[in-house]
Amino acid sequence: MHPAHRHPSHSHPAASSPQPHGQATLRLVAWEITRNCNLSCVHCRAAATQGPYAGELDTASCFRLLDQIAEVGSCIVILTGGEPLLRPDIFDVARYGTGKGLKMVMAPNGTLIDAANARQMADAGIRRISISLDGSRAESHDRFRGVPGAFDAALRGIECAKAAGIEFQINTTITQTNLAEIPAIQQLAIELGAVAHHIFLLVPTGRGKYIADQAIDAAQYEETLNWFYDQKKHTPLVLKATCAPHYYRILRQRSRAEGETVRFETHGLDAVTKGCLGGSGFCFISHTGIVQPCGFLHLECGDVTRQSFVDIWKNSPIFLDLRDEDKLKGKCGICEYRRVCGGCRARAYEATGDYLAEEPLCLYQPGHHQESRP
């Protein structure tokens, strides 16, 4: 889940020069604050169900973790799950993070939001929530989410959040089953009053492995991202593609071909800065405190119950690898777009067992005429 805080600042991508290898500005932390969930989504990374799950960080541990995240910088912290509203102290944690100067956002599924807890969200400083809609109507969304009534409940939750003054974005995971519905979902997002639409390309981990045959292929991937690019001229929504690093190549290819100067959002979760941010601008923290490059790349980079988050972020060998685009292999390693795309490291790892291997779902052939590195 990626909710986002909007920021008016824009910048040409050239203004964001690559940092020295090993150094990285932490922009986003997705924190699986609980794995408990009231839904059973077919694509779930965590294969989450109604818990309880052992080993979740207690309230005091959550506060210590937020202290350490704030030491690294004033980033965005996404309280995700599972379903974060199932955690009894969720508003205490959110309020504490807000007090530390962190930008706190939340990724509920929408079905549990009511007028009372929407006000609590606002009071705790939650700046934005994301609600996932994977169908434009109840039948398709509920099938994807695994619970009848999920669609209608999410729409009710959205209305409660709006009444409390909380902005929201719509997230959509794209598979073969809902590919044809994406335009209708985007139109629904506009009608509901969303500020943004973020699309996610399926990464086959967790329960997503069992629907890997529903993932779109490389040609559909390219076609979908080009369609998404075209929508920016026709929609009031802020658009962002996630788990789809190729989009950052397409943005530059299309804008250059059309003679446009590319201006990107560079702050907040709508930021369009680089394709794969895993380990370089983004990380994931599990419900038990395990730090990973992202929620789909299951590589343990540290454990906040045993070491400081500051130390993990600065010194994890995996993070240091991911911050050096020159370590990428195959065609990703010679691609002229490697610093803005980078390929999906989670897809590479799932396909090959090597997180530095080339992205398996990419049609693009790099322009450099040289042999790819092994």
Side-chain angles (χ1 to χ4, degrees):
M1 145 16 247
H2 285 188
H5 171 55
R6 300 174 80 196
H7 191 288
S9 176
H10 294 72
S11 150
H12 190 276
S16 301
S17 56
Q19 298 178 83
H21 294 318
Q23 296 183 24
T25 299
L26 181 61
R27 294 173 173 271
L28 313 169
V29 174
W31 181 8
E32 179 191 58
I33 195 163
T34 182
R35 188 163 277 194
N36 289 342
C37 191
N38 61 318
L39 299 183
S40 185
C41 304
V42 296
H43 68 300
C44 183
R45 161 199 58 74
T49 59
Q50 188 73 51
Y53 287 89
E56 291 191 351
L57 302 182
D58 62 20
T59 305
S61 298
C62 288
F63 289 172
R64 282 196 298 272
L65 176 54
L66 289 168
D67 288 339
Q68 293 169 14
I69 292 173
E71 278 187 60
V72 176
S74 180
C75 64
I76 296 166
V77 176
I78 308 159
L79 298 173
T80 183
E83 169 51 56
L85 289 176
L86 287 175
R87 188 164 167 132
D89 61 356
I90 188 66
F91 301 116
D92 296 327
V93 173
R95 188 175 297 105
Y96 188 87
T98 299
K100 298 295 296 186
L102 298 166
K103 303 174 184 71
M104 305 300 291
V105 296
M106 189 183 289
N109 59 47
T111 63
L112 301 181
I113 300 175
D114 57 27
N117 61 28
R119 284 193 299 271
Q120 287 178 289
M121 281 184 209
D123 291 344
I126 295 295
R127 301 193 181 196
R128 184 190 289 192
I129 62 172
S130 70
I131 303 293
S132 290
L133 292 180
D134 298 301
S136 61
R137 61 196 195 285
E139 179 188 6
S140 52
H141 178 80
D142 291 358
R143 184 171 60 246
F144 203 95
R145 293 280 147 182
V147 174
F151 182 80
D152 291 338
L155 297 192
R156 288 194 296 271
I158 286 171
E159 292 306 314
C160 290
K162 287 165 62 177
I166 300 170
E167 68 177 27
F168 71 97
Q169 69 184 54
I170 297 300
N171 289 354
T172 303
T173 297
I174 298 179
T175 68
Q176 291 278 5
T177 60
N178 68 356
L179 183 58
E181 278 195 78
I182 302 305
I185 293 171
Q186 192 166 103
Q187 181 57 39
L188 177 60
I190 296 170
E191 293 169 2
L192 290 171
V195 295
H197 186 209
H198 290 199
I199 60 170
F200 294 74
L201 277 295
L202 179 70
V203 180
T205 62
R207 274 198 295 262
K209 284 187 175 181
Y210 302 106
I211 60 165
D213 60 332
Q214 296 176 21
I216 63 177
D217 62 27
Q220 291 171 313
Y221 197 158
E222 195 84 1
E223 182 181 353
T224 299
L225 294 179
N226 273 281
W227 172 84
F228 199 64
Y229 174 90
D230 290 333
Q231 300 318 297
K232 68 185 180 65
K233 302 173 183 176
H234 309 297
T235 179
L237 299 169
V238 177
L239 302 179
K240 185 177 180 182
T242 299
C243 301
H246 315 19
Y247 187 61
Y248 296 74
R249 162 179 54 82
I250 289 169
L251 276 170
R252 287 157 177 84
Q253 290 175 309
R254 293 285 304 275
S255 59
R256 186 183 304 121
E258 294 168 11
E260 294 184 0
T261 298
V262 188
R263 297 185 66 83
F264 298 142
E265 186 85 33
T266 58
H267 292 79
L269 260 161
D270 294 324
V272 176
T273 54
K274 179 187 173 186
C276 182
L277 288 172
S280 62
F282 172 86
C283 71
F284 171 89
I285 305 173
S286 81
H287 64 298
T288 59
I290 302 301
V291 181
Q292 302 174 188
C294 78
F296 300 107
L297 184 47
H298 298 291
L299 294 170
E300 184 171 333
C301 300
D303 181 343
V304 301
T305 68
R306 298 172 180 269
Q307 63 193 119
S308 165
F309 176 80
V310 179
D311 178 48
I312 297 168
W313 177 254
K314 290 183 176 179
N315 300 312
S316 159
I318 294 172
F319 285 178
L320 296 179
D321 276 349
L322 292 170
R323 292 167 194 172
D324 186 353
E325 296 90 352
D326 292 333
K327 288 191 173 183
L328 296 176
K329 301 174 184 177
K331 68 179 182 180
C332 284
I334 60 168
C335 184
E336 61 270 37
Y337 292 102
R338 68 184 181 278
R339 298 193 193 285
V340 296
C341 170
C344 176
R345 299 297 96 219
R347 267 189 220 103
Y349 184 69
E350 285 293 321
T352 69
D354 183 351
Y355 58 87
L356 295 173
E358 68 180 45
E359 153 80 60
L361 277 183
C362 180
L363 291 179
Y364 182 71
Q365 294 301 318
H368 294 308
H369 299 291
Q370 59 185 32
E371 293 183 7
S372 62
R373 298 195 301 275

